[in-house]
Amino acid sequence: MAGLAHTDAEHARRPDGRVLRSTAETVKWGLFDASVPPVLTVEPGEIVTIETLSGEPWDLPEDGAFTVLPEHKTVLERCERGPGCHLVTGPVAVRGALPGDALAVEILDIGLRQDWGWNLILPLFGTLPDDFDTTVRRWLPIDRAAGTVDLPWGETLGLRPFFGIMGVAPPPAWNRITSIVPRAHGGNMDNKELVPGTTVYFPVFVEGGCFSVGDGHGLQGDGEVCVTAVETSLTGTFRFGVRKDFALKAPRAESAGQWITMGFDESLDGAARQALRDMIAWMGTERGLSPSEAYMLCSVKADMRITQTVNGHKGVHCVMPKPADMAAN
């Protein structure tokens, strides 16, 4: 659980990168849009630490039991607002990234920014939209040093933070889109596998790629069934790169031990087919397998996991363990 005890000050002192603060100028509320100019431009190989915020006005605790980050309310009052509900920081452009390339985003570290998170049930939303007719919101104490969260019924769980939203600028023809629905640009993927040590690859649709990040999750189960995870503000440290040796139709990811493909569709069947077809294609280029060989390999070795079932487009990710000799390198 790298980075759980890191503070903002510790991140700011990092000698190996730049820091992008969460301000009204760097945060957008609920949108992805190819026309939004980058707030930071970096060279391939550069490291950037990015602050994020989580929560609309009604998600902030008011009783003084928790510490609200000093910029949070100001950002909500002044930042540009779109059709969605998430706060995302960016975009960060990478020089040399052109449409048709892949943007490589290596997750180096994720740190907790505050001593609380929140979880929410909303009527008519979630995996069981008709089963709960009352809004339920809970604020959850976080112990940053221990890396734990306390649940209302007395259970304490270890945190495994990741960003629910990581994405690039969408195709310009899409115009302004909501932050809620994941698509080919990434966005609200809610994939809990995307932790430090993982590199995520995104298709590039505009010059620079224009990466944004937000929707911090302290902990989430596959599915995110009630609409929310342990929502909280996080700081992420990323190394950016450009890959011109392959093109993508959707985000992919890999770590030392596994390859991950992702599919997003209104149906789980459609999302599963997308993720599986992309893994078959990847095993063809990565391992030289024929389509039938890769299909067989997926059937006996890969795991098809439900990413989330609550974002309009549902998500499925296919997880393929790397062979022992590759994982060791």
Side-chain angles (χ1 to χ4, degrees), residues 58-79:
W58 35 89
D59 300 316
L60 305 185
E62 298 290 351
D63 60 4
F66 302 105
T67 303
V68 176
L69 292 167
E71 73 269 29
H72 202 147
K73 292 181 181 180
T74 301
V75 167
L76 289 170
E77 291 169 358
R78 300 180 184 177
C79 75

Side-chain angles (χ1 to χ4, degrees), residues 163-242:
F163 291 98
I165 289 183
M166 292 192 292
V168 295
W174 293 5
N175 298 312
R176 178 158 295 190
I177 60 173
T178 176
S179 64
I180 296 173
V181 181
R183 298 182 184 275
H185 72 295
N188 194 24
M189 300 183 291
D190 286 327
N191 189 334
K192 71 177 188 179
E193 300 295 327
L194 307 183
V195 294
T198 305
T199 298
V200 190
Y201 304 105
F202 297 92
V204 173
F205 299 106
V206 302
E207 185 176 356
C210 291
F211 172 83
S212 297
V213 62
D215 189 28
H217 290 176
L219 186 66
Q220 179 201 293
D222 283 337
E224 199 190 22
V225 294
C226 83
V227 176
T228 51
V230 176
E231 309 287 328
T232 192
S233 300
L234 300 176
T235 302
T237 301
F238 309 93
R239 179 184 287 114
F240 293 96
V242 179

Side-chain angles (χ1 to χ4, degrees), residues 81-288:
R81 185 166 186 177
C85 56
H86 306 93
L87 299 176
V88 294
T89 307
V92 176
V94 183
R95 284 191 217 281
L98 298 173
D101 296 338
L103 190 72
V105 181
E106 182 182 358
I107 306 169
L108 301 178
D109 185 44
I110 298 176
L112 298 165
R113 298 194 68 197
Q114 60 190 34
D115 60 359
W116 59 278
W118 54 278
N119 185 266
L120 173 70
I121 297 173
L122 282 175
L124 303 181
F125 291 88
T127 308
L128 302 174
D130 301 314
D131 287 27
F132 297 86
D133 57 8
T134 303
T135 298
V136 180
R137 180 182 281 102
R138 295 288 185 267
W139 289 278
L140 310 173
I142 286 176
D143 185 326
R144 297 173 68 193
T148 59
V149 60
D150 294 333
L151 302 183
W153 47 90
E155 187 173 2
T156 298
L157 299 177
L159 294 175
R160 191 171 184 263
F162 72 97
F163 291 98
I165 289 183
M166 292 192 292
V168 295
W174 293 5
N175 298 312
R176 178 158 295 190
I177 60 173
T178 176
S179 64
I180 296 173
V181 181
R183 298 182 184 275
H185 72 295
N188 194 24
M189 300 183 291
D190 286 327
N191 189 334
K192 71 177 188 179
E193 300 295 327
L194 307 183
V195 294
T198 305
T199 298
V200 190
Y201 304 105
F202 297 92
V204 173
F205 299 106
V206 302
E207 185 176 356
C210 291
F211 172 83
S212 297
V213 62
D215 189 28
H217 290 176
L219 186 66
Q220 179 201 293
D222 283 337
E224 199 190 22
V225 294
C226 83
V227 176
T228 51
V230 176
E231 309 287 328
T232 192
S233 300
L234 300 176
T235 302
T237 301
F238 309 93
R239 179 184 287 114
F240 293 96
V242 179
R243 295 291 297 268
K244 295 183 176 292
D245 54 331
F246 59 83
L248 300 177
K249 295 182 179 180
R252 294 175 176 175
E254 71 173 314
S255 65
Q258 58 190 21
W259 294 288
I260 304 167
T261 55
M262 291 170 266
F264 312 111
D265 191 79
E266 293 180 356
S267 76
L268 280 173
D269 285 344
R273 292 186 186 107
Q274 289 179 22
L276 180 57
R277 285 175 176 142
D278 198 24
M279 184 60 75
I280 290 171
W282 202 359
M283 293 302 94
T285 57
E286 187 71 33
R287 302 191 59 188

